[in-house]
Amino acid sequence: MTRQSRTAPAGSERSLHQAYDTALLDLDGVVYAGGHAIAHAVESLAVAREGGMHLAYVTNNALRTPDAVAEHLTELGIPTEAGEVITSAQAVARLIADQVEPGSKVLVIGGEGLRVALRERGLVPVESAEEEGLAAVVQGYGGPDLAWGRFAEAAYAVNRGVPWFASNTDLTIPGARGIAPGNGAAVEVVRIATGAEPQVAGKPLPPMHRETVLRTGAERPLVVGDRLDTDIEGAFNGDVDSLLVLTGVTDAAQLLRAEPRHRPTYVDRDLRGLLTGQPEVVEHAGGWRCDGWTAVHADGRLDVEPAGGAEGTGDPVDGLRALCAAAWSRAGDGAYADDVEKALAKLGL
C-alpha cells in the first residue's frame, strides 16, 4: 500500500520505537500542552530512547529558541539537548538566507526564536520597517502578548515590496486552557492589509522537511504529530511514515474525514503508541476488522460494532482504526455527517 493510496491505517508486528530509528516529534499537543507534559509522554519517550530510538523535536512554533525548548523539555523530565530541537524559525531563516545577501537586515515580527535563528544564518534582525536596506520581513508566532502594532509594521514593509516570509501558517495552537489563535491567524492579518502572499517554511512544506533531514540525519524516520494539515501532510510530502496521536488538535471525527494526504500511517491514543506494535486492519465480511471491532460502510453510512457482538470488549482505538478503513476506502461516496458521531459514540471517542 502506498502512502498516496492509503485506505486503512497500517499494522506493525514490531513496536514502532524498534521499527524506526528516529521519531520526529511535534511538541504542542503531542509532548506538552502549555507548560505541562501530556499524560504518558515523559515515560513513553524515556522507554523509546532507552530502546535505541533517537528523539528529535520538530515544531512549527517559532517563538522559543532550541535552547529554551530543550530546557523546558528537560524540566518536564525529558532530557534534551538543543541540537535535538528543530524549529520553523530555523527553517525560515535558511529559506531567507538562500535568497538575500549575508548580513542583510530582516524585519522580525515574532519572538526570540526567530532572532536567534536569523543570527545563526548571518542575518541581522531589526524591529522597524523604516530600516535602510531592509531585505525581508519574517513573521512567526510571538505569543499572546504580541502587540497589534507589529502587524502594522509588517504591512508597511510588505506594501513597499519587501519580500515577506512566514515561519508557518498554523491557524491554531493548543495550550493549557484550550485552542488559541496561531501564527497563521496573524499571517492572515498582514495578508488582508497587503494582498500579498508570504513564502512559508514550516510543516507541511518542503523547507521544514529539508531542515529536519539536514539536522537529524534520520534514515528511517517516523513523524509523530497531532495535526493532519501540518504533521501528517508534512510526512506525506516527505514520503515518510507517520503516527497520529489524539492528544492535540485532531479529533476522531476529523480523522475519519481525512483526505488522502492527511491520512496517517498509524493512529494511537497517545505516545504510548511508540512502544507497541500496531494491530492490522483487515477486510472482513464486507467491512473492516481490527482486533475487537468491525466497521462497515453501507448505504452511505458508517457503523461499528464489537466483533462477535460482545459488548464492552476491545480497545476503542481499534474500533477507530476499523472505522478509518471503512471511511477511507469509500471516501468517493461523499462526506458523512450524523452517522460519524453515532459511530464514535459507540467507542466513547
Side-chain angles (χ1 to χ4, degrees), residues 65-321:
T65 67
D67 282 318
V69 173
E71 182 179 353
H72 181 204
L73 288 169
T74 300
E75 289 173 350
L76 292 177
I78 306 168
T80 306
E81 300 292 333
E84 296 174 305
V85 178
I86 302 94
T87 73
S88 63
Q90 294 170 321
V92 77
R94 189 186 297 270
L95 185 62
I96 296 169
D98 287 345
Q99 299 180 43
V100 304
E101 295 295 325
S104 293
K105 296 177 182 179
V106 180
L107 174 61
V108 175
I109 311 299
E112 186 62 16
L114 279 176
R115 296 177 179 85
V116 169
L118 290 168
R119 294 188 189 105
E120 183 184 30
R121 292 284 153 219
L123 302 172
V124 179
V126 299
E127 302 303 311
S128 172
E130 303 308 312
E131 284 278 351
E132 185 176 349
L134 190 63
V137 178
V138 63
Q139 192 170 357
Y141 183 66
D145 298 323
L146 187 65
W148 185 259
R150 300 306 296 157
F151 305 141
E153 205 68 24
Y156 299 147
V158 173
N159 276 325
R160 294 204 314 266
V162 177
W164 179 29
F165 297 82
S167 63
N168 67 294
T169 52
D170 296 22
L171 290 173
T172 61
I173 186 168
R177 296 175 59 193
I179 303 300
N183 191 56
V187 167
E188 284 300 310
V189 172
V190 178
R191 180 185 280 120
I192 291 168
T194 64
E197 292 288 336
Q199 294 186 53
V200 183
K203 296 179 286 186
L205 297 173
M208 190 68 179
H209 181 72
R210 177 180 65 153
E211 193 71 23
T212 301
V213 170
L214 287 173
R215 289 179 181 265
T216 65
E219 296 182 358
R220 290 178 289 109
L222 177 69
V223 170
V224 184
D226 70 309
R227 301 182 69 109
L228 301 180
D229 59 348
T230 55
D231 305 313
I232 306 308
E233 185 177 340
F236 179 91
N237 290 339
D239 200 31
V240 299
D241 288 342
S242 60
L243 167 65
L244 178 79
V245 291
L246 301 174
T247 49
V249 168
T250 300
D251 62 24
Q254 292 168 324
L255 177 61
L256 292 180
R257 296 186 174 97
E259 57 186 288
R261 62 194 174 127
H262 291 165
R263 295 173 185 170
T265 314
Y266 310 106
V267 179
D268 221 311
R269 184 178 283 103
D270 51 51
L271 285 176
R272 289 175 294 181
L274 283 175
L275 309 180
T276 65
Q278 295 287 309
E280 188 176 5
V281 183
V282 298
E283 292 190 66
H284 176 78
W288 296 83
R289 184 167 181 170
C290 184
D291 279 0
W293 296 89
T294 300
V296 296
H297 178 293
D299 300 323
R301 299 180 66 82
L302 288 171
D303 198 10
V304 63
E305 297 289 347
E311 294 292 341
T313 62
D315 184 346
V317 178
D318 290 337
L320 177 60
R321 295 178 180 115

